Amino acid sequence: MKKLLFIVCSLFLIMSMNAQKQIKLNAPNKSRGTTVMKALSERHSVRDFSSKELSLQDLSDLLWAANGINRSDGKRTAPSAMNKQDVDIYVIMKSGAYLYDAKNQALKPVVSKDLRGDVAGGQDFVKAAPVSLVLVSDISRFGSMASKEMNTIMGAVDVGTVCQNINLFCAATGLITVPRASMEKEALKQSLKLTDNQILIMNNPVGYPQK
Ligand SMILES: Cc1cc2nc3c(=O)[nH]c(=O)nc-3n(C[C@H](O)[C@H](O)[C@H](O)COP(=O)(O)O)c2cc1C
């Protein structure tokens, strides 16, 4: 009986150690960064990442800049076609994949697996970046008024806007990134449990430059 109790307790301990937990992000620091004109001057793609982990503040500010809530009515830093808010950001890190929850400024656990290899899709430099933001448009949120093709175009434009927020935030704060369309879409779709209406469009590996 004692042995059984020991095994059950050990299993419970191992399971709770492996359980992926929600990550509470910090409030965004809205006074950081350079001017818009300097950020535009600095913006360029960089692919040589240091493997140093992003600080919680950098990750929090990055996600808020990408598509955080910037008004009391719940609207975001990025515009959205028909205000359907179709863009979801999946945060891919060594510790697992998370979904950005803008309302609660938190990361919701999706899967405790390192999916950076699937984001890399043949471009190995991506695996060195501590974080990749995978931008997904859920075109079902547009409804059926327009054609699927039109909804996909609107989704791609909305993702492009979020992507540029990321590019400019990085340029303004000394982080590095590159906007990418390449990734192992089928593998990511499975691991992130996406539906056929959730289209993987772009990703941005983000990190610090190599010294
Ligand atoms: C829609 C789109 C898809 C891209 N896909 C990739 C990609 O898969 N891999 C990559 O290394 N760069 C990718 N890039 C980055 C471009 O190669 C890069 O923006 C271009 O060479 C211009 O360089 P710059 O960003 O420094 O101005 C992509 C850019 C865009 C806009």
Side-chain angles (χ1 to χ4, degrees):
M1 185 63 192
K2 266 186 179 171
K3 202 173 168 186
L4 184 67
L5 195 66
F6 175 76
I7 292 169
V8 170
C9 287
S10 306
L11 275 174
F12 184 75
L13 190 70
I14 291 166
M15 275 163 64
S16 63
M17 275 163 70
N18 287 336
Q20 211 187 353
K21 292 202 180 79
Q22 165 158 305
I23 298 176
K24 185 73 196 132
L25 297 168
N26 292 348
N29 172 1
K30 296 182 192 170
S31 55
R32 73 183 288 188
T34 183
T35 65
V36 172
M37 293 308 254
K38 273 194 190 148
L40 287 165
S41 305
E42 287 293 321
R43 205 249 10 118
H44 64 292
S45 297
V46 187
R47 297 176 179 82
D48 298 315
F49 291 90
S50 152
S51 58
K52 187 181 157 194
E53 292 296 330
L54 273 198
S55 71
L56 184 64
Q57 192 64 51
D58 281 346
L59 184 61
S60 307
D61 294 349
L62 168 70
L63 285 160
W64 183 84
N67 204 20
I69 292 173
N70 68 355
R71 280 158 284 171
S72 54
D73 61 5
K75 289 183 181 173
R76 311 287 192 91
T77 56
S80 149
M82 298 182 289
N83 189 29
K84 295 298 184 188
Q85 305 299 342
D86 55 300
V87 181
D88 288 320
I89 304 179
Y90 288 86
V91 181
I92 312 295
M93 302 189 283
K94 195 175 180 179
S95 60
Y98 298 81
L99 178 63
Y100 176 48
D101 174 358
K103 204 168 166 194
N104 297 305
Q105 189 61 3
L107 297 182
K108 282 160 61 172
V110 177
V111 59
S112 58
K113 218 165 95 183
D114 184 356
L115 302 178
R116 290 177 302 169
D118 292 331
V119 180
Q123 288 192 297
D124 276 354
F125 69 83
V126 176
K127 292 189 224 164
V131 175
S132 276
L133 302 184
V134 173
L135 309 181
V136 171
S137 170
D138 184 348
I139 60 168
S140 72
R141 292 182 202 159
F142 293 127
S144 51
M145 253 167 56
S147 65
K148 186 167 185 191
E149 187 192 5
M150 190 60 208
N151 288 343
T152 307
I153 291 171
M154 288 194 292
V157 173
D158 286 351
V159 159
T161 313
V162 171
C163 179
Q164 185 68 340
N165 279 356
I166 296 167
N167 298 330
L168 289 176
F169 172 81
C170 289
T173 57
L175 296 177
I176 59 167
T177 191
V178 49
R180 300 179 63 246
S182 332
M183 58 188 132
E184 299 292 346
K185 289 191 183 178
E186 208 40 58
L188 286 170
K189 184 183 172 193
Q190 297 297 324
S191 297
L192 299 174
K193 303 170 194 96
L194 303 181
T195 67
D196 288 344
N197 285 317
Q198 290 179 286
I199 319 284
L200 288 142
I201 300 178
M202 292 292 288
N203 65 79
N204 277 77
V206 177
Y208 303 108
Q210 276 183 3
K211 287 267 154 59

